Amino acid sequence: MRQAIVVGGGVMGCLSALELLQRGWQVTLLEAGETGREASWAAGGLVTPLYPWHYCTAISALANWSQRAYPQLAASLAEATGIDPELTACGLMWLDAEERDLALDWAQRNERDLQALEQPELYSRVAQLAPGFSGALWQADLANLRNPRMMQALRARLRQFAGFELQEHCPVSSLLVEQGRCVGVRSGPQTFTADAVVLAAGAWSAGLLQPLGVELPVEPVKGQMLLYKMPPGWLECMVMYDGRYAIPRRDGHIVVGSTLEYSGFDKTTDDQALATLKTAAERMLPALAGIEPVMQWAGLRPGSPDGVPWIGELPQVQGLWLNCGHFRNGLVLAPASCHLLAALMDGQPAELDAAPYNPATRGIGSAA
């Protein structure tokens, strides 16, 4: 039986592991901290790029496939584990979208049900909006999921497989390479060996490759978030204005985000971001002005130059597979990315074209 080591316990690592297990592999997952507690926990949970008309075909292909896959994935996880990821197709409203014509043209070309709303209709849909918005773009079928619960469900599902081993608080210190092939990893005094190693360590992926002389342009990009609590059903859909969003959960919590900060591996929160996000929340939903956020947090996205991930075998090192660099769209792109990776590792035809993500042809240099 083929054996794989997956480095990283976020959504990419966990879904990669699940895909491989379902194909008959044995999988050991190594996570430096706790499973699902980094970027996958910190994200807002949108199952769409923030402005999908901005993205290239490579990202759109992964997003479209994932959006189709998520309902079955969420339902199967809930059934198998009893933990509901709370995938909710509540729709998304872009307020006063300056790129209305561009967005509508994109929607027509890609057969997406994006509509333009004028002022009376947008307030009839979302009465809580601040006055003064002149119009909006609306897509009714877009969803969000409660990503911390998604990660809890994935962890529980993985542990149901006899061929799965989870090692938490087990940071990988180095990759083991013999005669040009990755044969395992080291974590402190421990050595783990396998037929293949999957690097899905998010913002930490590049650091593990540097000792091999491989320069992967992935860096941490901090995003700070706020959480409010309102009665269930108070906000029925997601709203976005000027790059900020408000996402309702089923129990009335509302997630507001997000900042975009290049500050290394620093995950501290600060008052400036708090003020900026509160202002954005109150500009969209003025009733939040009288309510203190119940939580502020930050996560580190795996930033990459164009947001297109690397998915496939590293050409410099056989047996070392990448699934990283998804930037702001990790949760959005995860089902497609992990399905594609597993198909490539299994030597089977994939439903997606692998070429746009191939590490052999995309922007990986040699470390000086």
Side-chain angles (χ1 to χ4, degrees):
M1 183 178 290
R2 293 163 299 178
Q3 298 178 330
I5 293 168
V6 176
V7 181
V11 68
M12 291 302 160
C14 287
L15 266 182
S16 295
L18 181 58
E19 286 275 354
L20 290 170
L21 288 163
Q22 290 172 336
R23 292 169 178 266
W25 289 63
Q26 288 186 336
V27 177
T28 299
L29 191 150
L30 307 181
E31 164 55 39
E34 297 180 3
T35 305
R37 291 293 300 180
E38 290 292 347
S40 300
W41 177 88
L46 277 157
V47 187
T48 176
L50 296 183
Y51 296 95
W53 49 89
H54 285 177
Y55 288 92
C56 64
T57 302
I59 293 178
S60 297
L62 294 176
N64 294 343
W65 197 98
S66 294
Q67 286 168 337
R68 294 192 297 269
Y70 256 121
Q72 182 178 352
L73 174 61
S76 66
L77 288 173
E79 181 179 0
T81 68
I83 303 170
D84 186 359
E86 294 190 13
L87 182 73
T88 306
C90 59
L92 173 58
M93 183 180 291
W94 291 268
L95 300 165
D96 281 357
E98 296 180 356
E99 300 171 327
R100 170 173 161 163
D101 292 342
L102 175 66
L104 291 173
D105 178 66
W106 167 86
Q108 184 176 22
R109 287 186 286 105
N110 291 276
E111 299 182 342
R112 307 310 294 266
D113 188 18
L114 185 69
Q115 305 171 32
L117 303 181
E118 303 304 327
Q119 189 179 74
E121 188 174 3
L122 71 95
Y123 284 97
S124 68
R125 287 183 180 271
V126 186
Q128 299 87 350
L129 289 176
F133 290 111
S134 60
L137 293 168
W138 165 250
Q139 189 168 337
D141 61 350
L142 293 180
N144 73 84
L145 56 82
R146 197 159 184 171
N147 39 296
R149 296 194 180 182
M150 170 75 172
M151 297 311 302
Q152 291 171 16
L154 274 172
R155 185 182 187 276
R157 180 71 182 103
L158 290 171
R159 291 174 71 90
Q160 293 174 350
F161 285 84
F164 177 72
E165 179 183 356
L166 175 62
Q167 295 279 346
E168 294 183 313
H169 304 288
C170 187
V172 170
S173 52
S174 63
L175 302 168
L176 296 176
V177 178
E178 297 178 0
Q179 297 180 342
R181 183 172 188 85
C182 189
V183 296
V185 304
R186 285 194 185 92
S187 176
Q190 291 182 286
T191 296
F192 300 87
T193 60
D195 302 303
V197 174
V198 176
L199 186 55
W204 290 264
S205 298
L208 290 170
L209 291 174
Q210 284 180 339
L212 305 182
V214 177
E215 197 71 33
L216 184 73
V218 171
E219 62 179 321
V221 183
K222 181 162 71 174
Q224 297 191 50
M225 313 278 283
L226 296 183
L227 185 70
Y228 290 86
K229 182 64 170 73
M230 297 296 281
W234 180 79
L235 180 63
E236 295 185 354
C237 73
M238 300 176 283
V239 294
M240 184 177 297
Y241 175 64
D242 195 26
R244 308 291 195 204
Y245 52 76
I247 303 172
R249 302 298 196 215
R250 293 179 188 176
D251 64 359
H253 280 104
I254 298 172
V255 180
V256 173
S258 156
T259 64
L260 195 69
E261 306 170 55
Y262 291 82
S263 52
F265 287 94
D266 172 29
K267 288 199 299 178
T268 57
T269 59
D270 59 73
D271 291 341
Q272 181 179 354
L274 174 66
T276 299
L277 292 171
K278 284 186 69 174
T279 298
E282 295 164 14
R283 175 66 183 90
M284 293 184 284
L285 304 165
L288 298 180
I291 299 171
E292 283 301 307
V294 298
M295 188 177 179
Q296 179 184 6
W297 69 90
L300 300 176
R301 312 174 184 93
S304 55
D306 54 7
V308 178
W310 288 267
I311 306 170
E313 191 174 26
L314 190 69
Q316 297 94 324
V317 184
Q318 291 184 342
L320 180 55
W321 298 79
L322 304 185
N323 191 7
C324 50
H326 295 75
F327 204 177
R328 304 190 75 170
N329 294 308
L331 284 161
V332 185
L333 308 181
S337 298
C338 300
H339 175 82
L340 175 58
L341 176 78
L344 293 171
M345 292 179 66
D346 219 23
Q348 299 297 319
E351 297 178 32
L352 292 142
D353 180 10
Y357 323 103
N358 187 350
T361 58
R362 289 195 54 242
I364 296 179
S366 298

